[in-house]
Amino acid sequence: MKIAVFEKRPYEEEIIQSYKNKYNIDFSTTDEILDDKTLHLCKNADAITILGYSTLTPKLLDKIKQNGVKIISTRTIGYNHIDIKYAKQSGFKICNVSYAPNGVADFTIMLMLISIRKYKPAMWRQNVNDYTLNGLMGKEMRNMTVGVLGTGRIGSTVIKNLSGFGCKIIAFDKYQNDSIKDIAQYVEFDELLKQSDIITVHTPLTPENRGIINKYNISKMKDGVIIINTARSELANIQDLIEGIESEKIGALALDVFENEDEIYHHFLSTDIIKNKDMAYLRQFPNVVLTQHMAFFTDSASREMIVNSLNNIINLFNNNTCANRL
């Protein structure tokens, strides 16, 4: 079996080598995305594995198929970078991966604490030896209501972790999760918007919820609401978030994902001009925290991503099935 690995990260090399030796797999690898320039690596490959920056359009999928590829495995939970409908129609076997939700859940709560304790301006002050406290008074989690949008694996883990803080936890999901009903109260969507001091988003991206954090829904929220997004940037309308920060309707904003981040996040750009004007504008605010799409980035999760991807390929190749087939 031959597997072409795209967007290979340095820490994945040891695992790839171990699979090469254990299963006698022929690997071709590159740290570049899969596009027309790197397409030649697919030649005679049975499968490819990619990350989220390789965008598989119908045109590119046709070329991948012409090279003999039968299996597509993305080392991510999300798969909106693949035209799934067209890929299935073309006969590809497709899968994503799953990994423990703890890393993203931990990171989400860290962003909540950074936001309510005003750590960003405090850190700025320390850098110039300003140790005053004026304007840095924070809030305590136990006195707040946290609304969790989406109670799947990550959302439910956030709720379980939050339960130790003593805050009131409310949640909304079309499909309720029995495992968290003793620590969180399910409410209607509008009720969550009205009650929450903090709103954290953990829903998958679907056509129905794209832009669900928008001007209309923000208007229903409390004045000074704190919004956290470690899920997908497309779940929020960036212009409406900017307006909310400018008007002070939004008291703090923490985003691990950002609209049109692909050419910025995970790249070395210290001498470049960042052309995403919305990103450049938002990050100047003392109550806005932007992190570089790293909530998932732990040693455990990173290992699970490559291991699960390769296992999925092997299972699909040998048994025509795997746990994460799409």
Side-chain angles (χ1 to χ4, degrees):
M1 174 170 45
K2 180 178 179 180
I3 300 176
V5 181
F6 296 88
E7 302 177 77
K8 179 178 70 67
R9 292 170 172 151
Y11 54 81
E12 296 177 317
E13 181 62 38
E14 181 181 352
I15 296 168
I16 290 170
Q17 286 301 319
S18 71
Y19 272 73
K20 179 179 180 179
N21 297 332
K22 184 176 180 179
Y23 297 102
N24 194 29
I25 297 172
D26 179 17
F27 284 100
S28 58
T29 67
T30 178
D31 58 358
E32 300 295 328
I33 64 171
L34 172 51
D35 58 13
D36 286 337
K37 295 178 182 178
T38 58
L39 182 65
H40 65 278
L41 295 174
C42 294
K43 188 171 181 61
N44 298 323
D46 298 289
I48 60 172
T49 173
I50 60 174
L51 287 170
Y53 293 118
S54 294
T55 303
L56 304 191
T57 62
K59 185 177 180 180
L60 185 55
L61 285 165
D62 286 342
K63 295 178 181 178
I64 294 168
K65 186 176 181 179
Q66 290 167 11
N67 278 272
V69 174
K70 303 175 185 65
I71 300 170
I72 298 172
S73 176
T74 178
R75 303 190 302 282
T76 56
I77 292 176
Y79 46 85
N80 52 303
H81 52 293
I82 304 171
D83 190 320
I84 295 293
K85 183 178 180 181
Y86 189 84
K88 287 183 176 180
Q89 290 174 349
S90 301
F92 288 105
K93 302 171 186 177
I94 315 163
C95 55
N96 64 343
V97 297
S98 60
Y99 49 84
N102 306 74
V104 177
D106 292 350
F107 198 89
T108 298
I109 292 175
M110 180 193 74
L111 291 179
M112 291 182 192
L113 294 171
I114 285 174
S115 298
I116 67 174
R117 296 309 303 267
K118 302 185 179 180
Y119 179 69
K120 181 180 176 181
M123 181 178 65
W124 282 354
R125 291 187 191 184
Q126 280 198 21
N127 290 335
V128 292
N129 293 332
D130 178 356
Y131 300 102
T132 59
L133 296 178
N134 184 43
L136 296 183
M137 182 178 289
K139 297 179 179 180
E140 296 182 21
M141 194 80 85
R142 65 189 177 94
N143 297 323
M144 307 183 81
T145 296
V146 180
V148 180
L149 284 177
T151 56
R153 294 172 72 246
I154 294 174
S156 61
T157 304
V158 169
I159 288 170
K160 291 169 185 176
N161 290 353
L162 277 173
S163 64
F165 285 88
C167 53
K168 180 180 178 182
I169 309 170
I170 58 178
F172 172 79
D173 198 308
K174 288 172 64 176
Y175 308 99
Q176 296 189 4
N177 187 335
D178 291 339
S179 71
I180 52 94
K181 286 185 176 180
D182 58 335
I183 51 178
Q185 176 189 357
Y186 276 103
V187 297
E188 293 299 318
F189 177 65
D190 280 1
E191 196 61 33
L192 184 143
L193 298 180
K194 295 175 184 177
Q195 287 191 34
S196 300
D197 299 297
I198 302 173
I199 295 176
T200 181
V201 185
H202 300 287
T203 66
L205 179 64
T206 66
E208 292 74 27
N209 65 20
R210 180 179 291 270
I212 194 170
I213 305 299
N214 54 41
K215 184 175 182 178
Y216 176 69
N217 285 328
I218 291 171
S219 71
K220 301 176 186 178
M221 299 176 189
K222 286 185 176 182
D223 292 343
V225 65
I226 296 168
I227 299 175
I228 313 289
N229 186 4
T230 56
R232 291 288 180 268
S233 63
E234 296 91 343
L235 293 167
N237 182 297
I238 192 65
Q239 296 303 321
D240 293 347
L241 290 177
I242 289 173
E243 182 178 325
I245 286 292
E246 290 176 331
S247 67
E248 301 184 17
K249 175 68 176 181
I250 299 174
L253 178 66
L255 305 176
D256 186 52
V257 288
F258 206 91
E259 194 173 286
N260 300 319
E261 67 178 53
D262 290 5
E263 299 302 318
I264 300 174
Y265 286 170
H266 307 169
H267 296 281
F268 180 78
L269 303 173
S270 65
T271 59
D272 292 33
I273 302 299
I274 303 301
K275 297 178 181 178
N276 190 319
K277 294 180 181 180
D278 294 332
M279 182 184 292
Y281 181 61
L282 263 181
R283 70 183 180 186
Q284 57 143 338
F285 289 95
N287 57 343
V288 175
V289 175
L290 304 182
T291 52
Q292 56 266 50
H293 202 152
M294 59 182 289
F296 75 96
F297 197 51
T298 67
D299 52 357
S300 297
S302 298
R303 178 179 176 81
E304 286 183 75
M305 290 167 73
I306 179 66
V307 167
N308 289 347
S309 178
L310 295 178
N311 285 343
N312 285 338
I313 289 172
I314 292 169
N315 288 331
L316 282 171
F317 185 81
N318 292 326
N319 307 312
N320 200 35
T321 186
C322 73
N324 299 103
R325 187 166 183 176
L326 297 172

